[in-house]
Amino acid sequence: MTQAHYRTLSSWLKQIFGEPVRKISIDVGLGCPNRVSSPGCIYCNPRGSGTGAHANGLTVSEQVARGIEFLSHRYGCQKFIAYFQSYTNTYGPPELLESLYREALADQRIVGLSIGTRPDCVPDAVLDMIVEIRKEKLVWIEYGLQSAHAWTLARINRGHDPEAFFDAVRRTRSRDIPVVAHLILGLPGESVQDMVTTARAVSAAGVNGVKLHPLYIIKGTELENMLQKGTYAPLTEEDAIDMTLSVIQALSPEIVVHRLTSDPHRDELVAPLWMLDKRGVRSRLEQALRSRDIRQGTTWGRASLVDEEQTAPLQLHTIDAADQSRKW
Ligand code: SF4
């Protein structure tokens, strides 16, 4: 049983709500501060991971209604999380953000919110507003980190340093708002050990969940230019699986794993093309977990947290003992 190898989001949600819960992607077109004065992250295209629903004129309520209709027909589920996915979903005044979040929650079948954003775009006033919603519904914030290494963040043009992430995690967890960290495997210049160090660093910081996916190249990005110039080579499926297994082992066993793969748009993907076979990749990943008997957390806590390419240990950002319960 793969579920015994790591903590899955689906089983965790089922524990809380007693039935399957599905996520509905919401696109409110808030834009991204990293795309204002720069081209943005090297793997980002102008759509910013969006569904295009906002550009097509759909309101939040309409996106919720369409999502519920589609998912309830397909999976027979009756409870949903509204996932504010595209761009930076805390990039705006708290009053505007609150109205968007509450519009999604107006349908009683929406049992929670997931808010995707950048760690350098969460002022305390926004967190204070989210705390009030959190008193009524399940809410978590998803922060893009991708790597805990400053040199990698500079290389991929993230526009923030690791400290911005750890500061955002501290301020968010101190308000008892759960945090999910986004990590990308196979970023330019990173070794497996670098990715393992990042997994340990986010575990030590006390995040509640993690999303992982191998890096992929989409059209119209700086990463596509790097591919054409030969300065970046796409991951093989075998390497991506090996990286994923190493990172799972390095994560704290308390962390809920929200995702291990990704689902790039067929029309936009340049490489690696094996990622289009999402079901096959998932199946081979699960097979590798079983055959190698990989368990989440088996290398967490006992290995050194020293970043081997640095002369000094990677700075640890541990949470207070009171937060160790990782209460959702
Ligand atoms: S933070 Fe997200 S939306 Fe902004 S540039 Fe990076 S990938 Fe694109």
Side-chain angles (χ1 to χ4, degrees):
M1 285 287 291
T2 301
Q3 285 194 356
H5 293 266
Y6 64 96
R7 275 189 94 182
T8 66
L9 176 65
S10 56
S11 59
W12 177 78
L13 285 171
K14 203 167 176 187
Q15 263 177 17
I16 294 180
F17 294 104
E19 60 185 88
V21 179
R22 290 269 170 184
K23 287 203 287 183
I24 297 171
S25 292
I26 305 291
D27 180 344
V28 288
L30 286 172
C32 173
N34 199 33
R35 298 192 65 92
V36 173
S37 54
S38 94
C41 305
I42 61 169
Y43 45 80
C44 181
N45 74 358
R47 214 163 42 80
S49 308
T51 61
H54 175 78
N56 290 332
L58 291 180
T59 64
V60 172
S61 310
E62 289 165 341
Q63 293 178 50
V64 166
R66 286 189 181 197
I68 289 178
E69 187 183 352
F70 175 76
L71 293 171
S72 57
H73 261 91
R74 182 156 185 179
Y75 299 107
C77 47
Q78 292 303 318
K79 290 186 176 168
F80 307 89
I81 302 283
Y83 174 30
F84 285 76
Q85 178 182 12
S86 34
Y87 297 110
T88 302
N89 291 287
T90 54
Y91 189 33
E95 303 74 27
L96 168 68
L97 299 173
E98 181 171 11
S99 71
L100 294 168
Y101 303 156
R102 290 199 180 276
E103 187 177 340
L105 290 169
D107 189 307
Q108 291 307 304
R109 291 167 292 182
I110 299 292
V111 295
L113 290 183
S114 163
I115 301 167
T117 191
R118 292 171 56 83
D120 60 349
C121 192
V122 277
D124 286 344
V126 169
L127 291 176
D128 290 340
M129 175 271 291
I130 293 173
V131 163
E132 293 305 309
I133 300 178
R134 162 113 173 96
K135 290 174 184 168
E136 304 160 30
K137 295 275 186 176
L138 176 68
V139 181
W140 70 78
I141 301 182
E142 303 197 7
Y143 290 126
L145 172 64
Q146 322 312 356
S147 165
H149 304 284
W151 74 88
T152 299
L153 297 189
R155 192 176 286 149
I156 65 175
N157 199 36
R158 274 295 294 176
H160 65 75
D161 58 17
E163 181 52 38
F165 171 83
F166 293 112
D167 174 61
V169 172
R170 272 193 296 268
R171 290 186 295 112
T172 310
R173 295 296 294 119
S174 72
R175 289 167 169 82
D176 200 23
I177 302 170
V179 168
V180 174
H182 288 204
L183 309 180
I184 296 181
L185 308 181
L187 289 167
E190 287 220 335
S191 65
V192 174
Q193 183 56 42
D194 293 331
M195 299 168 221
V196 163
T197 305
T198 293
R200 292 193 187 125
V202 299
S203 297
V207 305
N208 308 82
V210 159
K211 274 186 176 174
L212 307 175
H213 75 78
L215 182 60
Y216 56 87
I217 304 164
I218 53 178
K219 291 175 186 164
T221 61
E222 177 54 26
L223 199 56
E224 184 184 19
N225 292 336
M226 291 169 68
L227 177 73
Q228 285 164 356
K229 286 188 234 157
T231 55
Y232 177 76
L235 287 170
T236 64
E237 184 178 349
E238 292 72 25
D239 283 347
I241 288 177
D242 286 346
M243 289 170 181
T244 306
L245 300 190
S246 296
V247 167
I248 288 174
Q249 288 176 293
L251 288 173
S252 157
E254 295 178 67
I255 287 175
V256 175
V257 178
H258 287 231
R259 182 184 71 193
L260 292 175
T261 55
S262 196
D263 194 12
H265 284 253
R266 180 170 292 272
D267 297 341
E268 294 183 342
L269 184 70
V270 175
L273 295 177
W274 55 262
M275 285 190 74
L276 292 175
D277 177 21
K278 190 181 171 192
R279 196 169 289 179
V281 172
R282 179 92 199 178
S283 157
R284 288 184 285 279
L285 180 56
E286 291 181 357
Q287 170 62 25
L289 279 163
R290 283 193 298 272
S291 62
R292 299 185 215 174
D293 195 21
I294 299 295
R295 307 274 160 177
Q296 181 178 343
T298 50
T299 63
W300 155 247
R302 67 178 164 79
S304 164
L305 282 144
V306 173
D307 182 341
E308 291 174 352
E309 288 189 19
Q310 301 288 301
T311 51
L314 188 75
Q315 190 181 356
L316 287 183
H317 301 265
T318 52
I319 56 173
D320 295 340
D323 284 340
Q324 291 288 353
S325 64
R326 293 184 173 82
K327 182 181 162 202
W328 284 75

